[in-house]
Amino acid sequence: MSSQIYRSASKAVKALLSASKSSPLFGEGRAVAAAAATSFRGKVPAVASICERADSRNAFRGWVSGALVLPAAVYMLQDQEAHAAEMERTFIAIKPDGVQRGLIAEIISRFERKGYKLVAIKLVVPSKEFAEKHYHDLKERPFFSGLCDFLSSGPVLAMVWEGEGVIKYGRKLIGATDPQKSEPGTIRGDLAVVVGRNIIHGSDGLETAKDEIGLWFEPSELVNYTCNAEKWVYGVN
Ligand code: DAT
Ligand code: MG
């Protein structure tokens, strides 16, 4: 789980800080790197290896490992730790019309470019029974059977995206249910025309997101990892 990585990161931050305090010039990269490496125990090797690499280049030793790399690494790790608790996940699916129209890359890129993190993805053809489970809250609606026929008519790209506010903002990226009412700039506004072929599904709340992720994915299919870009996507000044 990512919290474990953040705990490791936190330990390393503390090790880095104490190593840097005991080092008068804050420039002895080797001691600091050793402290960090011990604390990470191989789980998050990036900072330790950066320090070691910097240390091996004598010309840059004082500058790169001490003055530049270390404070930046400490700063970023602290940011990540502070942020870990605020992450949420949502279920996003590209329906058979979006897949058949070749819109997978276009849609994924909008979530990616925003700064959200993909943590699960698979292409499946759901059965009608499965589609009925997914849309169970709409079973009284006149279009329910047709909707479930449609969802089970071909491949669906099922995904889980993670990020701060991703449930609500994911719905903003998607746009209104009826593409005639979706704003330009949204996925449905730009890429769809009618409500029956609105190309994408997104969870509409915290509970729904939890239920839908549980319906479409096994826990083992959700990948916990730290994305390098996160330290640039998140931060408080
Ligand atoms: P959303 O997909 O924006 O969450 P929803 O949950 O109300 O919207 O409905 C699920 C899907 O059902 C929607 O994406 C398209 C279809 N649908 C909704 N309203 C419809 C209608 N009036 N006629 C036909 N299909 C409809
Ligand atoms: Mg809905």
Side-chain angles (χ1 to χ4, degrees):
M1 185 55 198
S2 58
S3 60
Q4 203 183 337
I5 293 174
Y6 288 119
R7 270 199 300 279
S8 298
S10 168
K11 272 191 205 160
V13 166
K14 281 166 198 148
L16 288 166
L17 286 171
S18 66
S20 65
K21 270 181 216 147
S22 66
S23 176
L25 290 176
F26 199 59
E28 287 302 309
R30 201 181 308 262
V32 174
T38 309
S39 199
F40 279 123
R41 276 190 223 110
K43 281 178 197 143
V44 188
V47 177
S49 64
I50 289 167
C51 290
E52 275 164 354
R53 243 179 285 138
D55 188 46
S56 70
R57 291 182 192 170
N58 288 335
F60 295 104
R61 184 172 174 175
W63 283 96
V64 179
S65 66
L68 203 60
V69 173
L70 183 58
V74 170
Y75 173 80
M76 287 166 186
L77 286 169
Q78 282 173 326
D79 261 11
Q80 284 184 23
E81 182 179 26
H83 199 78
E86 293 164 42
M87 290 300 170
E88 60 181 41
R89 289 176 170 180
T90 192
F91 173 70
I92 300 290
I94 304 180
K95 300 183 197 177
D97 48 345
V99 173
Q100 295 291 348
R101 289 179 52 204
L103 295 172
I104 289 175
E106 166 75 37
I107 291 171
I108 286 182
S109 78
R110 291 184 182 217
F111 280 82
E112 238 180 356
R113 278 154 48 202
K114 169 73 177 168
Y116 294 135
K117 181 166 78 178
L118 184 64
V119 295
I121 185 166
K122 65 182 174 189
L123 194 64
V124 288
V125 181
S127 65
K128 183 158 184 192
E129 292 68 37
F130 189 93
E132 285 169 353
K133 275 189 200 158
H134 172 77
Y135 279 130
H136 66 92
D137 59 322
L138 296 173
K139 61 177 179 293
E140 308 301 336
R141 306 295 292 273
F143 54 83
F144 178 67
S145 181
L147 176 65
C148 295
D149 279 334
F150 169 60
L151 192 73
S152 56
S153 68
V156 171
L157 191 77
M159 296 176 280
V160 178
W161 285 87
E162 181 183 287
E164 190 173 317
V166 70
I167 298 173
K168 203 166 173 192
Y169 206 91
R171 296 277 298 186
K172 270 195 187 180
L173 290 178
I174 289 171
T177 303
D178 181 354
Q180 295 285 328
K181 296 179 184 144
S182 313
E183 293 297 324
T186 64
I187 291 167
R188 286 168 173 165
D190 289 349
L191 306 169
V193 182
V194 297
V195 71
R197 297 291 181 270
N198 64 5
I199 69 171
I200 183 167
H201 167 85
S203 307
D204 62 9
L206 204 59
E207 280 308 305
T208 332
K210 237 166 107 191
D211 292 348
E212 291 175 350
I213 291 169
L215 177 66
W216 288 80
F217 288 97
E218 296 296 329
S220 62
E221 293 177 299
L222 305 173
V223 182
N224 298 303
Y225 64 102
T226 301
C227 182
N228 282 334
E230 277 166 51
K231 55 187 174 250
W232 301 108
V233 171
Y234 298 103
V236 183
N237 298 322

